[in-house]
Amino acid sequence: MKKKLIAGNWKMNGSLAANDKLLKDILVGVGQAACQMAVGVPAVYLSQCQALLAGTAIDLAAQDISAHEVGAYTGEISGAMLKEFGVRYVIVGHSERRQYHGETDEVVALKAQRALGCGITPIVCVGETLAEREAGKTDEVVKRQLAAVIHTNGHCISEVVVAYEPVWAIGTGKTATPEMAQQVHAVLRAQLKAASDHADRIKLLYGGSMNAANAASLLAQPDIDGGLIGGAALKAQDFLTIIAAAH
Ligand code: PEP
């Protein structure tokens, strides 16, 4: 059976001291987890977290990757650089990057391609805004976002992880109900099935105010293969509770 994946997204949070404590607390409590695990840390802390996670079952994730390979792109970080720090996953197309950094569907698709080319698994985020949901456009929006990634990545699409993150649920405390999330996941799964013979092995994560209290019911849905966790990933006990719910 496909193992679930619980991935934390620390966003722009942390410090050397706070990261050290958080990861040590998680490692002490995690035991033999049934799921795969990762933490997405700010780029400046990759080296520190690589050392703290060495030899453990928790993988390292980055929060972004350049769409370019190398060269005059001030401030950007390439896939090859991430790879040098043991990065296994990279979040691409998070709604905060789409919203605040103008990332288009095409840029997100290129970033996913760049990650795959470096042997890093992209966690591709898709999701609708509240206005789009209220206008009945949820399926149209997530399918358009995913279609760009499928178009650019061809048969390699079976190597990505997809995270459905309704924008209105991120950091707001409002979660999609398990049924609402499952409905969109089923749409995404059908789209992936049409694009790949291996769609069943693609992990579809849910993200958006997943927490210790609601994780089990979300993770029980047939097409929810894990979670992308923001706020709750910054509290060791909450993150551990979510990990324990992912079996
Ligand atoms: C996220 O940033 O990907 C996220 C899901 O955040 P939160 O869990 O805080 O809503």
Side-chain angles (χ1 to χ4, degrees):
M1 210 179 86
K2 185 165 56 181
K3 279 194 177 182
K4 289 189 169 27
L5 169 64
I6 299 298
N9 174 15
W10 289 3
K11 311 195 192 201
M12 198 172 71
N13 292 292
S15 66
L16 290 170
N19 305 341
D20 187 82
K21 176 161 173 37
L22 178 57
L23 286 181
K24 283 179 178 162
D25 286 351
I26 292 170
L27 289 168
V28 163
V30 76
Q32 290 282 352
C35 63
Q36 295 178 320
M37 299 165 284
V39 286
V41 312
V44 290
Y45 296 131
L46 285 171
S47 176
Q48 178 202 19
C49 296
Q50 180 187 26
L52 285 163
L53 296 175
T56 76
I58 301 182
D59 288 313
L60 195 55
Q63 298 178 11
D64 189 27
I65 181 173
S66 178
H68 304 283
E69 191 176 355
V70 66
Y73 301 102
T74 302
E76 296 272 278
I77 297 175
S78 73
M81 292 171 186
L82 297 178
K83 195 72 186 164
E84 281 199 300
F85 289 89
V87 166
R88 169 146 184 212
Y89 300 97
V90 60
I91 300 167
V92 299
H94 192 282
S95 63
E96 288 151 13
R97 294 213 59 86
R98 292 180 190 260
Q99 189 182 346
Y100 306 135
H101 301 273
E103 289 191 9
T104 61
D105 294 342
E106 288 68 34
V107 167
V108 172
L110 283 173
K111 288 186 171 196
Q113 186 181 45
R114 194 60 73 192
L116 288 168
C118 293
I120 297 171
T121 300
I123 300 177
V124 179
C125 302
V126 300
E128 82 287 2
T129 62
L130 187 57
E132 288 163 341
R133 174 161 281 269
E134 287 175 348
K137 292 194 169 149
T138 298
D139 292 3
E140 179 187 324
V141 169
V142 298
K143 283 168 80 174
R144 188 202 71 225
Q145 293 172 332
L146 184 57
V149 182
I150 292 171
H151 176 74
T152 302
N153 290 279
H155 70 273
C156 292
I157 196 66
S158 60
E159 305 305 319
V160 310
V161 171
V162 178
Y164 168 54
E165 297 211 308
V167 179
W168 49 270
I170 296 177
T172 59
K174 290 185 194 143
T175 324
T177 63
E179 295 71 26
M180 282 160 83
Q182 167 57 30
Q183 205 173 16
V184 179
H185 279 231
V187 167
L188 295 171
R189 182 80 69 201
Q191 188 179 7
L192 290 165
K193 276 195 172 143
S196 166
D197 292 341
H198 306 291
D200 283 335
R201 76 166 183 235
I202 300 175
K203 287 187 172 62
L204 289 180
L205 313 185
Y206 170 79
S209 297
M210 190 186 272
N211 57 39
N214 62 26
S217 55
L218 285 159
L219 293 167
Q221 298 301 310
D223 285 301
I224 299 187
D225 306 315
L228 184 55
I229 324 292
L234 297 169
K235 296 177 202 138
Q237 198 46 57
D238 290 10
F239 196 55
L240 287 168
T241 303
I242 296 169
I243 287 168
H247 43 73

